Amino acid sequence: MNGKTDYQSIPNALLPGLIEYLTAKIGLHFSNRNRNELHQKMAAAMMDFGFENVGEFIEWLLSSLPTQKQIEILASHLTVGETYFFREKRAFEILEQSILHRLIDARRKTGKRLRLWSAGCSTGEEPYSIAILLGKLIPDLKDWNITILATDINTIALRKADEGIYSDWSFRDTPPFFKDKYFETLNGNRYLLLSRIRKMVTFSYLNLSQDVYPALQNNTNAMDIIFCRNVLMYFAPEHIKRAAERFYRSLVDGGCLIVSPVETSLINYERFAAVRIQDSTFYKKDIHKTKPESLSAKNIEKVTAPYLLPPKRVDGLVKSQASLMQPL
C-alpha cells in the first residue's frame, strides 16, 4: 500500500449500503456510534482482498456475490474475539449448581447422554471451560456420551481453538493451580490444553446469521444447553430474534439458553420461559408455553440416533457433519 491508510475514507454514500450488507451476510450491526471502528476494520480487511482504496473495496463488495471463503475472511476482521477461561464466573456457577447437577442426575436414570453447544466460541476458552466443568461433575465420564459442539464464523479463531494453545491472557480470572492441572507448559509462556480435554470438543464453522439450524447436517439439533454469550449484542434486532427462534428449536424440551447479563434485555422471545436465579437469568424451552399449532415436525426436531454420524474434517475443523465426542 502507498502511504498511510485513511480510516475516515469510507464515503458517506456507501456507508448505509455497507452496514446493510454486513447485517445481512454476517448479522453484525454497526451504527454511527461505532463507525470509526468499522472504518478501521474495513481498511484492514481490504488488504486481504487485494485493494488499496477503502471506497473501491466497498464498491466491489456491494456489487459482487461473495464466496464462502470471502465471507470467512471478512468475518475474521469484523468479529470480536475477547474471551478467557471461565469468563463471567457467575454463569458457570449457575450452570454447575442449578442446571448441570439436576440434568446429570436425570440422565443417569434415562441414558448417560449430554449435548451442549457453545455458539460463537471464538478461540475456544468457553467450550473448554465447559468440558473441564463436566469432568469435575461426572467421575464416570468415560461411560457417558458427551457432545460439546463449538461454532464460530471466524475460521482463524477456530483453528487456534482446535490447537488448544493459550497465553497468560486467557487465564486472567482463573486460580493459580488451573494451568498446572489442565495444561502442559510450552516455550514462550504458552500452554497446551491436555489432549483428554481437547478431545471432548468439536469445533465447526457456523454463520449464525445465514446458516440453517437446527439441522442434523451440522449437529445443532437436540441440544440440552446452548451457550451464546457476548455474541447477540453485536447483532441487528431482527437477527437477534431469528437466532433466538432457531436456538429454541435447537433445544430439547426443558433445554436452556444461556446469554451474558448484558444480553438478557435483548432476548424478547415469548416461547422461552425466563428463569431468574438471584441476579442472573437464563432461558428455558418449555413447550407448554407454545401454542399447539407451533408444535409441528417443522419446528421441533425429533432425534434418536442419527446424530452419531462420523465427523467430516476439513482443514482440521469439522464441517457439515454431525459428530460423537470421545469421552474424557
Side-chain angles (χ1 to χ4, degrees):
M1 293 182 63
N2 298 323
K4 185 178 180 181
T5 299
D6 180 3
Y7 289 144
Q8 304 299 320
S9 62
I10 296 181
N12 288 334
L14 294 177
L15 195 58
L18 175 62
I19 291 174
E20 182 179 349
Y21 177 92
L22 297 178
T23 298
K25 299 299 182 183
I26 307 177
L28 299 178
H29 178 63
F30 290 89
S31 65
N32 286 332
R33 290 176 298 178
N34 50 17
R35 64 184 296 174
N36 288 338
E37 177 189 1
L38 176 59
H39 292 164
Q40 294 175 12
K41 291 183 175 182
M42 292 302 295
M46 73 179 182
M47 293 184 285
D48 284 346
F49 288 84
F51 285 85
E52 295 186 355
N53 180 278
V54 177
E56 292 178 359
F57 170 49
I58 295 173
E59 287 181 345
W60 169 82
L61 198 63
L62 298 181
S63 63
S64 65
L65 185 63
T67 65
Q68 175 72 31
K69 183 64 176 178
Q70 288 170 340
I71 291 293
E72 292 176 7
I73 294 172
L74 192 59
S76 70
H77 287 281
L78 295 174
T79 52
V80 178
E82 170 66 12
T83 186
Y84 48 90
F85 285 99
F86 290 96
R87 182 182 184 183
E88 296 172 357
K89 286 185 178 180
R90 184 60 181 150
F92 282 95
E93 291 173 357
I94 292 174
L95 178 66
E96 177 180 355
Q97 299 168 10
S98 301
I99 300 175
L100 280 178
H101 270 301
R102 295 180 182 180
L103 181 59
I104 291 169
D105 287 345
R107 292 294 168 81
R108 285 192 180 279
K109 302 173 184 177
T110 61
K112 295 181 178 181
R113 180 177 69 88
L114 292 175
R115 290 175 55 77
L116 302 93
W117 176 15
S118 171
C121 66
S122 188
T123 47
E125 287 91 332
E126 178 178 271
Y128 285 141
S129 296
I130 295 170
I132 290 170
L133 180 58
L134 288 177
K136 169 188 172 183
L137 296 177
I138 307 177
D140 58 337
L141 197 61
K142 66 181 185 301
D143 299 326
W144 285 67
N145 175 3
I146 303 290
T147 296
I148 303 176
L149 174 67
T151 65
D152 203 276
I153 194 173
N154 189 329
T155 55
I156 295 176
L158 285 172
R159 288 187 177 91
K160 180 178 178 180
D162 202 44
E163 291 175 352
I165 299 175
Y166 298 94
S167 66
D168 288 325
W169 186 246
S170 294
F171 305 99
R172 59 188 181 275
D173 199 27
T174 58
F177 71 84
F178 183 77
K179 284 187 291 189
D180 294 335
K181 185 172 183 179
Y182 297 108
F183 292 81
E184 300 174 11
T185 302
L186 305 178
N187 294 330
N189 292 322
R190 297 187 307 153
Y191 306 90
L192 174 64
L193 184 64
L194 296 180
S195 175
R196 60 187 178 88
I197 306 294
R198 298 201 312 271
K199 288 180 179 179
M200 293 182 66
V201 182
T202 292
F203 294 96
S204 181
Y205 174 90
L206 186 76
N207 184 332
L208 291 174
S209 177
Q210 286 202 319
D211 289 341
V212 176
Y213 57 97
L216 292 173
Q217 289 77 14
N218 54 28
N219 203 19
T220 52
N221 58 290
M223 290 291 170
D224 295 302
I225 300 170
I226 298 175
F227 266 63
C228 187
R229 303 186 303 156
N230 303 294
V231 175
L232 298 179
M233 61 191 292
Y234 299 105
F235 278 24
E238 64 271 22
H239 286 261
I240 294 174
K241 183 177 181 180
R242 186 187 307 167
E245 179 180 356
R246 291 174 175 176
F247 285 146
Y248 180 90
R249 292 190 280 115
S250 296
L251 289 165
V252 297
D253 186 30
C256 298
L257 170 64
I258 299 176
V259 299
S260 73
V262 298
E263 293 170 316
T264 55
S265 62
L266 303 177
I267 303 296
N268 186 22
Y269 189 53
E270 62 183 11
R271 291 168 68 183
F272 277 113
V275 179
R276 188 165 181 81
I277 300 177
Q278 297 181 18
D279 58 345
S280 299
T281 302
F282 66 90
Y283 298 88
K284 183 177 180 181
K285 177 174 179 176
D286 183 356
I287 63 172
H288 299 295
K289 281 180 59 88
T290 307
K291 297 178 182 179
E293 60 267 26
S294 297
L295 299 180
S296 63
K298 178 180 178 181
N299 290 331
I300 296 182
E301 191 92 32
K302 295 183 178 179
V303 179
T304 52
Y307 70 91
L308 303 183
L309 295 170
K312 178 182 179 182
R313 303 193 69 85
V314 179
D315 296 331
L317 302 174
V318 174
K319 290 191 177 184
S320 301
Q321 283 286 350
S323 65
L324 174 63
M325 294 293 88
Q326 295 296 319
L328 180 67

